[in-house]
Amino acid sequence: MSMTNDPKDLSKALKSCDTGCVLTGAGISVGSGIPDFRSENGLWTKYDPGVYASYQRFIQDPSYFWEMHIDVMHLIQKAAPNPAHKALAELEDNQYITGVITQNIDGLHQKAGSETVYELHGSNETCSCIICSKTYKTQKIADHLFSFEKEELVTLMRKGKEIPTCQCGGWIKPDVVLFGEMMPLTSLKSAEELAASSDIIVVVGSSLQVQPAAALPFVTKRTGGAISIINKEPTPVDAVATHVIHEDAEKVLPKLVELLQQ
Ligand code: NAD
């Protein structure tokens, strides 16, 4: 099939296929007030990921990670699912898609009602001790850290004070995947199986620059399926996609649900 940017064509493709799946990135949560990383107002214009999102750096001095993550936790705490998250939950409910693979850590798909969600980069819901793996609720840790004024807290953390620490003495880290850290292999395996068994993979709000997530559309394509892209800006995968829609996800996805009801 040749390339099209009409949501009607995507709705027809979803109607006629056996199974579909969705791969989401930070762009789907921009409408919920969580900026993505690589856009103009993205977090990484403020925080260099090589320093603030590096596992190597975390184990040397966690204060840099926490300096950024305090902002991330504030954003996630305030955020609610937007019409794009809700539309995906409806697509799953109506069996147009089997599940959502996400690079996001914000938990908004589950909050919107999606049942099958594979989190490739972990989740902010829980934290674990990097030594003994004891699990903690992130909210509890956030509540304590939020009781400080941010600048004062960062100064203390630079001196090694107030860094969330386990009973065993190990540092506590949110269960989100940092650069240089292993991905959760069970989620990745499930995501690959879902992509391989899908007749269509719809990518929503991802710049497709982070591997191995960016390779998943090719898993679907290799097994004979089609790639659809819904992203504000062009991606490196647009050239091989069947549907390419450069618009806001929170506008396109509810429209898609409407078209599927016709
Ligand atoms: P990215 O920042 O690299 O790309 C986001 C893409 O979304 C951009 O190409 C942008 O054009 C597009 N976009 C922005 N607003 C949009 C909208 N309203 N509708 C549709 N598209 C929109 O994000 P990525 O590809 O997910 O990779 C970034 C990494 O950062 C991921 O690993 C992810 O784990 C992490 N991250 C997660 C969150 C979150 O959990 N909400 C937020 C920021 C970053």
Side-chain angles (χ1 to χ4, degrees), residues 28 31-32 80-90 112 249-255 257:
I28 196 169
S32 297
N82 70 56
H85 297 104
K86 290 179 189 159
L88 293 187
E90 261 187 84
E250 57 275 28
K251 286 190 195 135
V252 180
L253 288 175
K255 200 189 291 174
V257 169

Side-chain angles (χ1 to χ4, degrees), residues 17-172:
C17 80
D18 276 340
T19 63
C21 72
V22 171
L23 168 64
T24 66
I28 196 169
S29 296
V30 169
S32 297
I34 306 174
D36 61 10
F37 273 171
R38 290 179 180 74
S39 293
E40 230 173 283
N41 300 321
L43 274 173
W44 289 356
T45 53
K46 193 167 161 197
Y47 298 110
D48 173 0
V51 176
Y52 292 87
S54 145
Y55 187 67
Q56 217 41 44
R57 188 65 178 248
F58 182 92
I59 55 177
Q60 288 162 3
D61 179 355
S63 71
Y64 290 87
F65 166 79
W66 284 110
E67 183 179 351
M68 173 178 78
H69 203 69
I70 285 165
D71 291 1
V72 172
M73 291 191 302
H74 269 296
L75 290 165
I76 293 179
Q77 189 171 285
K78 276 191 296 184
N82 70 56
H85 297 104
K86 290 179 189 159
L88 293 187
E90 261 187 84
L91 291 186
E92 184 184 2
D93 220 21
N94 299 329
Q95 291 170 6
Y96 289 111
I97 60 167
T98 311
V100 175
I101 303 162
T102 188
Q103 301 168 81
N104 296 345
I105 55 152
D106 55 33
L108 291 179
H109 287 302
Q110 291 90 334
K111 275 197 180 153
S114 284
E115 302 260 348
T116 303
V117 183
Y118 300 127
E119 293 171 311
L120 294 179
H121 297 161
S123 159
N124 188 56
E125 270 291 302
T126 54
C127 293
S128 304
C129 169
I130 61 168
I131 304 291
C132 75
S133 301
K134 182 176 161 58
T135 305
Y136 296 82
K137 275 264 169 224
T138 304
Q139 192 57 54
K140 268 202 133 170
I141 289 167
D143 287 345
H144 174 68
L145 297 179
F146 291 168
S147 68
F148 290 86
E149 197 260 314
K150 166 113 191 247
E151 222 169 285
E152 177 203 0
L153 180 61
V154 173
T155 309
L156 286 167
M157 283 183 160
R158 287 283 193 276
K159 293 180 191 154
K161 292 176 186 155
E162 291 303 334
I163 289 171
T165 304
C166 179
Q167 291 151 348
C168 82
W171 282 324
I172 294 169

